[in-house]
Amino acid sequence: MDCIFCKIAGGEFGTEFVAQNDHAVAFLDINPQAKVHILVVPKTHTSNVSELEDPQELLGLFELIREVAKTKTDGQFRLQFNTGSREGQSVFHTHAHVLSNQAN
Ligand code: 5GP
Ligand code: ZN
């Protein structure tokens, strides 16, 4: 499958991870929409958050989201999962946007 976030999560492009755990990786968005704009991406491919059913995967993803929000923002942030092209999704591998106007 030709999925850019599978390749990033697998280390193929040498993208620097700002954090990671067993289930997910976090890295800077290439086109930031706020002072802090981090993508948190499960290592296993699903197309969008609606397809992400495995409890351990969900837990791992949300643990990393919380860690990133805590360590990379001042505690005020937005959490966004664009789902479907009409709603702004452009990469069809599940990912959370962590956005904040104040870095930690
Ligand atoms: P979506 O629009 O699907 O919710 O978000 C996809 C995000 O991925 C966009 O904000 C876009 O800037 C980011 N993005 C797309 N390709 C790459 C890439 O190769 N590297 C990084 N770091 N971010 C990417
Ligand atoms: Zn993928």
Side-chain angles (χ1 to χ4, degrees), residues 1-7 42-46 92-94:
M1 195 192 331
D2 199 28
C3 171
I4 193 165
F5 283 2
C6 278
K7 289 178 179 170
K43 292 179 178 175
T44 302
H45 184 89
T46 50
F92 293 88
H93 177 128
T94 304

Side-chain angles (χ1 to χ4, degrees), residues 48-92:
N48 61 56
V49 71
S50 297
E51 306 294 325
L52 188 57
E53 291 181 337
D54 182 88
Q56 292 305 318
E57 294 277 325
L58 283 166
L59 182 61
L61 176 64
F62 272 84
E63 283 178 342
L64 196 60
I65 289 169
R66 294 186 71 241
E67 179 185 330
V68 163
K70 193 171 179 180
T71 58
K72 304 297 180 187
T73 82
D74 68 345
Q76 299 192 50
F77 64 93
R78 285 173 286 134
L79 179 60
Q80 190 165 329
F81 288 89
N82 296 331
T83 303
S85 53
R86 192 198 64 223
E87 302 297 337
Q89 188 176 6
S90 61
V91 176
F92 293 88

